[in-house]
Amino acid sequence: MNNDDHIAENLALAEKALPNSLSQKEVQLVNEAAREFRRVMRVGCTGCQYCMPCPAGVNIPSCFECYNSKHAFKDRSAKMMYLFQNGGMVTDKPTLASMCVKCEKCLEKCPQHLPIPDLLNEVAEDMEGFFTKPIIWIGRRMMKVRKKEKEIQ
Ligand code: SF4
Ligand code: SF4
């Protein structure tokens, strides 16, 4: 549950749902779907944001979301999305996984007990590389030019 709507929806369902209201087949289907979901997700991050803000400026949920998209959905654009979202093009400051300084302040805040610094290391190795800095530099320049063009219009 990530927002008030989710809580309201779950409370409404809990009022209607009775014990044993699902058939064996439906229970099996739910279990299979849950198993498959856990299998394809590299990081079991729910995006709850309890770990934020990170003192080093890492956008922890965004890094995990892009990493999961790349692997779970074989999303080829996930790497570009990662650099766009976390390279400082939309937020002015970079929020990349490689910025983690392993202070471990986020660890006790995560309800999923994720080993966040280790997982961010995995994300940085997979999603960043030799071309990260030049791509971010070009992207930020383009965003600045666009911003100026809009100001002139
Ligand atoms: S361990 Fe890394 S991600 Fe967690 S709070 Fe510290 S710098 Fe941020
Ligand atoms: S607290 Fe854990 S589950 Fe929530 S956004 Fe941070 S890493 Fe993800």
PDB file of all heavy atoms in Angstrom, residues 128-153:
ATOM      1  N   GLU A 128      25.035   1.583 -14.928  1.00  0.00           N
ATOM      2  CA  GLU A 128      25.958   2.672 -15.219  1.00  0.00           C
ATOM      3  C   GLU A 128      27.211   2.092 -15.878  1.00  0.00           C
ATOM      4  O   GLU A 128      27.438   0.895 -15.804  1.00  0.00           O
ATOM      5  CB  GLU A 128      26.338   3.408 -13.923  1.00  0.00           C
ATOM      6  CG  GLU A 128      25.137   4.038 -13.226  1.00  0.00           C
ATOM      7  CD  GLU A 128      25.488   4.687 -11.904  1.00  0.00           C
ATOM      8  OE1 GLU A 128      26.572   5.282 -11.775  1.00  0.00           O
ATOM      9  OE2 GLU A 128      24.660   4.591 -10.974  1.00  0.00           O
ATOM     10  N   GLY A 129      27.991   2.947 -16.503  1.00  0.00           N
ATOM     11  CA  GLY A 129      29.186   2.444 -17.154  1.00  0.00           C
ATOM     12  C   GLY A 129      29.993   3.576 -17.736  1.00  0.00           C
ATOM     13  O   GLY A 129      29.819   4.749 -17.373  1.00  0.00           O
ATOM     14  N   PHE A 130      30.837   3.217 -18.687  1.00  0.00           N
ATOM     15  CA  PHE A 130      31.759   4.168 -19.299  1.00  0.00           C
ATOM     16  C   PHE A 130      31.043   5.386 -19.899  1.00  0.00           C
ATOM     17  O   PHE A 130      31.517   6.506 -19.828  1.00  0.00           O
ATOM     18  CB  PHE A 130      32.560   3.429 -20.373  1.00  0.00           C
ATOM     19  CG  PHE A 130      33.602   4.259 -21.022  1.00  0.00           C
ATOM     20  CD1 PHE A 130      34.759   4.607 -20.328  1.00  0.00           C
ATOM     21  CD2 PHE A 130      33.435   4.725 -22.316  1.00  0.00           C
ATOM     22  CE1 PHE A 130      35.725   5.394 -20.930  1.00  0.00           C
ATOM     23  CE2 PHE A 130      34.402   5.515 -22.927  1.00  0.00           C
ATOM     24  CZ  PHE A 130      35.553   5.849 -22.218  1.00  0.00           C
ATOM     25  N   PHE A 131      29.866   5.132 -20.510  1.00  0.00           N
ATOM     26  CA  PHE A 131      29.184   6.212 -21.217  1.00  0.00           C
ATOM     27  C   PHE A 131      28.207   7.008 -20.339  1.00  0.00           C
ATOM     28  O   PHE A 131      27.569   7.932 -20.816  1.00  0.00           O
ATOM     29  CB  PHE A 131      28.420   5.663 -22.433  1.00  0.00           C
ATOM     30  CG  PHE A 131      29.341   5.169 -23.504  1.00  0.00           C
ATOM     31  CD1 PHE A 131      29.473   3.816 -23.763  1.00  0.00           C
ATOM     32  CD2 PHE A 131      30.098   6.065 -24.238  1.00  0.00           C
ATOM     33  CE1 PHE A 131      30.343   3.355 -24.738  1.00  0.00           C
ATOM     34  CE2 PHE A 131      30.975   5.626 -25.216  1.00  0.00           C
ATOM     35  CZ  PHE A 131      31.101   4.263 -25.472  1.00  0.00           C
ATOM     36  N   THR A 132      28.102   6.636 -19.070  1.00  0.00           N
ATOM     37  CA  THR A 132      27.120   7.308 -18.201  1.00  0.00           C
ATOM     38  C   THR A 132      27.344   8.818 -18.137  1.00  0.00           C
ATOM     39  O   THR A 132      26.424   9.601 -18.378  1.00  0.00           O
ATOM     40  CB  THR A 132      27.180   6.720 -16.767  1.00  0.00           C
ATOM     41  OG1 THR A 132      26.898   5.323 -16.866  1.00  0.00           O
ATOM     42  CG2 THR A 132      26.162   7.360 -15.858  1.00  0.00           C
ATOM     43  N   LYS A 133      28.569   9.216 -17.804  1.00  0.00           N
ATOM     44  CA  LYS A 133      28.833  10.652 -17.630  1.00  0.00           C
ATOM     45  C   LYS A 133      28.622  11.445 -18.921  1.00  0.00           C
ATOM     46  O   LYS A 133      27.944  12.473 -18.912  1.00  0.00           O
ATOM     47  CB  LYS A 133      30.232  10.877 -17.060  1.00  0.00           C
ATOM     48  CG  LYS A 133      30.246  10.624 -15.551  1.00  0.00           C
ATOM     49  CD  LYS A 133      31.558  10.997 -14.936  1.00  0.00           C
ATOM     50  CE  LYS A 133      31.476  10.707 -13.431  1.00  0.00           C
ATOM     51  NZ  LYS A 133      32.778  10.642 -12.818  1.00  0.00           N
ATOM     52  N   PRO A 134      29.174  10.966 -20.087  1.00  0.00           N
ATOM     53  CA  PRO A 134      28.926  11.730 -21.323  1.00  0.00           C
ATOM     54  C   PRO A 134      27.433  11.825 -21.678  1.00  0.00           C
ATOM     55  O   PRO A 134      26.950  12.883 -22.075  1.00  0.00           O
ATOM     56  CB  PRO A 134      29.682  10.938 -22.405  1.00  0.00           C
ATOM     57  CG  PRO A 134      30.640  10.101 -21.681  1.00  0.00           C
ATOM     58  CD  PRO A 134      30.159   9.905 -20.300  1.00  0.00           C
ATOM     59  N   ILE A 135      26.683  10.722 -21.480  1.00  0.00           N
ATOM     60  CA  ILE A 135      25.249  10.748 -21.805  1.00  0.00           C
ATOM     61  C   ILE A 135      24.530  11.765 -20.901  1.00  0.00           C
ATOM     62  O   ILE A 135      23.708  12.556 -21.359  1.00  0.00           O
ATOM     63  CB  ILE A 135      24.611   9.345 -21.657  1.00  0.00           C
ATOM     64  CG1 ILE A 135      25.106   8.413 -22.756  1.00  0.00           C
ATOM     65  CG2 ILE A 135      23.079   9.421 -21.726  1.00  0.00           C
ATOM     66  CD1 ILE A 135      24.701   6.959 -22.590  1.00  0.00           C
ATOM     67  N   ILE A 136      24.868  11.739 -19.611  1.00  0.00           N
ATOM     68  CA  ILE A 136      24.234  12.681 -18.675  1.00  0.00           C
ATOM     69  C   ILE A 136      24.606  14.114 -19.046  1.00  0.00           C
ATOM     70  O   ILE A 136      23.764  15.012 -19.054  1.00  0.00           O
ATOM     71  CB  ILE A 136      24.658  12.359 -17.216  1.00  0.00           C
ATOM     72  CG1 ILE A 136      23.985  11.053 -16.771  1.00  0.00           C
ATOM     73  CG2 ILE A 136      24.291  13.483 -16.269  1.00  0.00           C
ATOM     74  CD1 ILE A 136      24.417  10.551 -15.416  1.00  0.00           C
ATOM     75  N   TRP A 137      25.862  14.325 -19.405  1.00  0.00           N
ATOM     76  CA  TRP A 137      26.306  15.672 -19.766  1.00  0.00           C
ATOM     77  C   TRP A 137      25.514  16.183 -20.972  1.00  0.00           C
ATOM     78  O   TRP A 137      24.991  17.301 -20.953  1.00  0.00           O
ATOM     79  CB  TRP A 137      27.811  15.650 -20.064  1.00  0.00           C
ATOM     80  CG  TRP A 137      28.380  17.014 -20.304  1.00  0.00           C
ATOM     81  CD1 TRP A 137      28.782  17.905 -19.351  1.00  0.00           C
ATOM     82  CD2 TRP A 137      28.600  17.638 -21.569  1.00  0.00           C
ATOM     83  NE1 TRP A 137      29.219  19.059 -19.942  1.00  0.00           N
ATOM     84  CE2 TRP A 137      29.131  18.929 -21.307  1.00  0.00           C
ATOM     85  CE3 TRP A 137      28.397  17.261 -22.892  1.00  0.00           C
ATOM     86  CZ2 TRP A 137      29.457  19.823 -22.314  1.00  0.00           C
ATOM     87  CZ3 TRP A 137      28.724  18.157 -23.901  1.00  0.00           C
ATOM     88  CH2 TRP A 137      29.252  19.423 -23.613  1.00  0.00           C
ATOM     89  N   ILE A 138      25.392  15.336 -22.006  1.00  0.00           N
ATOM     90  CA  ILE A 138      24.651  15.741 -23.215  1.00  0.00           C
ATOM     91  C   ILE A 138      23.184  15.999 -22.858  1.00  0.00           C
ATOM     92  O   ILE A 138      22.595  17.007 -23.265  1.00  0.00           O
ATOM     93  CB  ILE A 138      24.772  14.654 -24.319  1.00  0.00           C
ATOM     94  CG1 ILE A 138      26.209  14.563 -24.829  1.00  0.00           C
ATOM     95  CG2 ILE A 138      23.815  14.951 -25.479  1.00  0.00           C
ATOM     96  CD1 ILE A 138      26.519  13.342 -25.659  1.00  0.00           C
ATOM     97  N   GLY A 139      22.598  15.083 -22.079  1.00  0.00           N
ATOM     98  CA  GLY A 139      21.189  15.219 -21.700  1.00  0.00           C
ATOM     99  C   GLY A 139      20.924  16.502 -20.938  1.00  0.00           C
ATOM    100  O   GLY A 139      19.956  17.206 -21.197  1.00  0.00           O
ATOM    101  N   ARG A 140      21.814  16.823 -20.010  1.00  0.00           N
ATOM    102  CA  ARG A 140      21.625  18.035 -19.204  1.00  0.00           C
ATOM    103  C   ARG A 140      21.764  19.288 -20.063  1.00  0.00           C
ATOM    104  O   ARG A 140      21.046  20.260 -19.886  1.00  0.00           O
ATOM    105  CB  ARG A 140      22.620  18.055 -18.048  1.00  0.00           C
ATOM    106  CG  ARG A 140      22.316  16.980 -17.020  1.00  0.00           C
ATOM    107  CD  ARG A 140      23.202  17.067 -15.816  1.00  0.00           C
ATOM    108  NE  ARG A 140      22.772  18.170 -14.968  1.00  0.00           N
ATOM    109  CZ  ARG A 140      23.257  18.392 -13.750  1.00  0.00           C
ATOM    110  NH1 ARG A 140      24.143  17.597 -13.256  1.00  0.00           N
ATOM    111  NH2 ARG A 140      22.834  19.404 -13.028  1.00  0.00           N
ATOM    112  N   ARG A 141      22.720  19.249 -21.017  1.00  0.00           N
ATOM    113  CA  ARG A 141      22.886  20.395 -21.939  1.00  0.00           C
ATOM    114  C   ARG A 141      21.618  20.587 -22.747  1.00  0.00           C
ATOM    115  O   ARG A 141      21.128  21.698 -22.926  1.00  0.00           O
ATOM    116  CB  ARG A 141      24.066  20.168 -22.913  1.00  0.00           C
ATOM    117  CG  ARG A 141      25.403  20.062 -22.266  1.00  0.00           C
ATOM    118  CD  ARG A 141      26.006  21.352 -21.868  1.00  0.00           C
ATOM    119  NE  ARG A 141      26.226  22.270 -22.989  1.00  0.00           N
ATOM    120  CZ  ARG A 141      26.734  23.487 -22.853  1.00  0.00           C
ATOM    121  NH1 ARG A 141      27.051  23.921 -21.655  1.00  0.00           N
ATOM    122  NH2 ARG A 141      26.926  24.262 -23.888  1.00  0.00           N
ATOM    123  N   MET A 142      21.074  19.459 -23.254  1.00  0.00           N
ATOM    124  CA  MET A 142      19.855  19.550 -24.079  1.00  0.00           C
ATOM    125  C   MET A 142      18.694  20.121 -23.269  1.00  0.00           C
ATOM    126  O   MET A 142      17.927  20.952 -23.753  1.00  0.00           O
ATOM    127  CB  MET A 142      19.489  18.159 -24.617  1.00  0.00           C
ATOM    128  CG  MET A 142      20.357  17.761 -25.801  1.00  0.00           C
ATOM    129  SD  MET A 142      20.164  16.034 -26.233  1.00  0.00           S
ATOM    130  CE  MET A 142      18.482  15.983 -26.760  1.00  0.00           C
ATOM    131  N   MET A 143      18.572  19.669 -22.016  1.00  0.00           N
ATOM    132  CA  MET A 143      17.484  20.165 -21.165  1.00  0.00           C
ATOM    133  C   MET A 143      17.634  21.665 -20.909  1.00  0.00           C
ATOM    134  O   MET A 143      16.661  22.407 -20.911  1.00  0.00           O
ATOM    135  CB  MET A 143      17.458  19.411 -19.829  1.00  0.00           C
ATOM    136  CG  MET A 143      17.089  17.953 -19.947  1.00  0.00           C
ATOM    137  SD  MET A 143      15.492  17.630 -20.684  1.00  0.00           S
ATOM    138  CE  MET A 143      14.418  17.872 -19.279  1.00  0.00           C
ATOM    139  N   LYS A 144      18.893  22.118 -20.745  1.00  0.00           N
ATOM    140  CA  LYS A 144      19.134  23.550 -20.499  1.00  0.00           C
ATOM    141  C   LYS A 144      18.764  24.372 -21.730  1.00  0.00           C
ATOM    142  O   LYS A 144      18.134  25.426 -21.612  1.00  0.00           O
ATOM    143  CB  LYS A 144      20.615  23.780 -20.157  1.00  0.00           C
ATOM    144  CG  LYS A 144      20.874  23.660 -18.666  1.00  0.00           C
ATOM    145  CD  LYS A 144      22.268  24.108 -18.325  1.00  0.00           C
ATOM    146  CE  LYS A 144      22.549  23.767 -16.856  1.00  0.00           C
ATOM    147  NZ  LYS A 144      23.944  23.724 -16.554  1.00  0.00           N
ATOM    148  N   VAL A 145      19.162  23.877 -22.922  1.00  0.00           N
ATOM    149  CA  VAL A 145      18.843  24.588 -24.166  1.00  0.00           C
ATOM    150  C   VAL A 145      17.332  24.686 -24.328  1.00  0.00           C
ATOM    151  O   VAL A 145      16.789  25.751 -24.643  1.00  0.00           O
ATOM    152  CB  VAL A 145      19.490  23.873 -25.386  1.00  0.00           C
ATOM    153  CG1 VAL A 145      18.981  24.447 -26.697  1.00  0.00           C
ATOM    154  CG2 VAL A 145      21.010  23.969 -25.315  1.00  0.00           C
ATOM    155  N   ARG A 146      16.635  23.585 -24.078  1.00  0.00           N
ATOM    156  CA  ARG A 146      15.164  23.581 -24.189  1.00  0.00           C
ATOM    157  C   ARG A 146      14.530  24.581 -23.242  1.00  0.00           C
ATOM    158  O   ARG A 146      13.588  25.284 -23.581  1.00  0.00           O
ATOM    159  CB  ARG A 146      14.621  22.189 -23.881  1.00  0.00           C
ATOM    160  CG  ARG A 146      14.680  21.290 -25.055  1.00  0.00           C
ATOM    161  CD  ARG A 146      13.714  20.155 -24.879  1.00  0.00           C
ATOM    162  NE  ARG A 146      13.624  19.380 -26.073  1.00  0.00           N
ATOM    163  CZ  ARG A 146      12.951  18.276 -26.163  1.00  0.00           C
ATOM    164  NH1 ARG A 146      12.305  17.833 -25.120  1.00  0.00           N
ATOM    165  NH2 ARG A 146      12.890  17.606 -27.276  1.00  0.00           N
ATOM    166  N   LYS A 147      15.082  24.620 -22.020  1.00  0.00           N
ATOM    167  CA  LYS A 147      14.548  25.533 -21.006  1.00  0.00           C
ATOM    168  C   LYS A 147      14.711  26.983 -21.469  1.00  0.00           C
ATOM    169  O   LYS A 147      13.806  27.800 -21.369  1.00  0.00           O
ATOM    170  CB  LYS A 147      15.310  25.302 -19.688  1.00  0.00           C
ATOM    171  CG  LYS A 147      14.485  25.564 -18.451  1.00  0.00           C
ATOM    172  CD  LYS A 147      15.271  25.153 -17.230  1.00  0.00           C
ATOM    173  CE  LYS A 147      14.680  25.751 -15.997  1.00  0.00           C
ATOM    174  NZ  LYS A 147      15.500  25.473 -14.826  1.00  0.00           N
ATOM    175  N   LYS A 148      15.898  27.285 -22.024  1.00  0.00           N
ATOM    176  CA  LYS A 148      16.163  28.649 -22.504  1.00  0.00           C
ATOM    177  C   LYS A 148      15.228  28.997 -23.651  1.00  0.00           C
ATOM    178  O   LYS A 148      14.698  30.101 -23.734  1.00  0.00           O
ATOM    179  CB  LYS A 148      17.624  28.779 -22.931  1.00  0.00           C
ATOM    180  CG  LYS A 148      18.525  29.028 -21.760  1.00  0.00           C
ATOM    181  CD  LYS A 148      19.787  29.710 -22.171  1.00  0.00           C
ATOM    182  CE  LYS A 148      20.572  30.080 -20.895  1.00  0.00           C
ATOM    183  NZ  LYS A 148      21.955  30.208 -21.124  1.00  0.00           N
ATOM    184  N   GLU A 149      15.045  28.017 -24.572  1.00  0.00           N
ATOM    185  CA  GLU A 149      14.153  28.264 -25.730  1.00  0.00           C
ATOM    186  C   GLU A 149      12.749  28.599 -25.257  1.00  0.00           C
ATOM    187  O   GLU A 149      12.112  29.509 -25.772  1.00  0.00           O
ATOM    188  CB  GLU A 149      14.107  27.002 -26.615  1.00  0.00           C
ATOM    189  CG  GLU A 149      15.281  26.905 -27.570  1.00  0.00           C
ATOM    190  CD  GLU A 149      15.263  25.577 -28.344  1.00  0.00           C
ATOM    191  OE1 GLU A 149      14.381  24.721 -28.097  1.00  0.00           O
ATOM    192  OE2 GLU A 149      16.142  25.423 -29.171  1.00  0.00           O
ATOM    193  N   LYS A 150      12.289  27.883 -24.236  1.00  0.00           N
ATOM    194  CA  LYS A 150      10.935  28.138 -23.698  1.00  0.00           C
ATOM    195  C   LYS A 150      10.853  29.510 -23.054  1.00  0.00           C
ATOM    196  O   LYS A 150       9.835  30.192 -23.169  1.00  0.00           O
ATOM    197  CB  LYS A 150      10.558  27.058 -22.675  1.00  0.00           C
ATOM    198  CG  LYS A 150      10.010  25.816 -23.315  1.00  0.00           C
ATOM    199  CD  LYS A 150       9.413  24.892 -22.272  1.00  0.00           C
ATOM    200  CE  LYS A 150       8.875  23.629 -22.928  1.00  0.00           C
ATOM    201  NZ  LYS A 150       8.592  22.605 -21.961  1.00  0.00           N
ATOM    202  N   GLU A 151      11.930  29.925 -22.379  1.00  0.00           N
ATOM    203  CA  GLU A 151      11.940  31.233 -21.735  1.00  0.00           C
ATOM    204  C   GLU A 151      11.858  32.369 -22.764  1.00  0.00           C
ATOM    205  O   GLU A 151      11.206  33.373 -22.549  1.00  0.00           O
ATOM    206  CB  GLU A 151      13.209  31.405 -20.889  1.00  0.00           C
ATOM    207  CG  GLU A 151      13.131  30.686 -19.546  1.00  0.00           C
ATOM    208  CD  GLU A 151      14.477  30.600 -18.843  1.00  0.00           C
ATOM    209  OE1 GLU A 151      15.446  31.232 -19.317  1.00  0.00           O
ATOM    210  OE2 GLU A 151      14.546  29.884 -17.844  1.00  0.00           O
ATOM    211  N   ILE A 152      12.534  32.142 -23.929  1.00  0.00           N
ATOM    212  CA  ILE A 152      12.553  33.163 -24.984  1.00  0.00           C
ATOM    213  C   ILE A 152      11.171  33.299 -25.638  1.00  0.00           C
ATOM    214  O   ILE A 152      10.717  34.390 -25.933  1.00  0.00           O
ATOM    215  CB  ILE A 152      13.637  32.828 -26.048  1.00  0.00           C
ATOM    216  CG1 ILE A 152      15.029  32.960 -25.400  1.00  0.00           C
ATOM    217  CG2 ILE A 152      13.540  33.728 -27.272  1.00  0.00           C
ATOM    218  CD1 ILE A 152      16.158  32.371 -26.187  1.00  0.00           C
ATOM    219  N   GLN A 153      10.468  32.137 -25.809  1.00  0.00           N
ATOM    220  CA  GLN A 153       9.169  32.163 -26.522  1.00  0.00           C
ATOM    221  C   GLN A 153       8.105  33.005 -25.812  1.00  0.00           C
ATOM    222  O   GLN A 153       7.997  33.093 -24.668  1.00  0.00           O
ATOM    223  CB  GLN A 153       8.661  30.730 -26.663  1.00  0.00           C
ATOM    224  CG  GLN A 153       9.366  30.025 -27.805  1.00  0.00           C
ATOM    225  CD  GLN A 153       9.072  28.511 -27.818  1.00  0.00           C
ATOM    226  OE1 GLN A 153       8.294  28.006 -27.016  1.00  0.00           O
ATOM    227  NE2 GLN A 153       9.694  27.815 -28.729  1.00  0.00           N
TER     228      GLN A 153
END
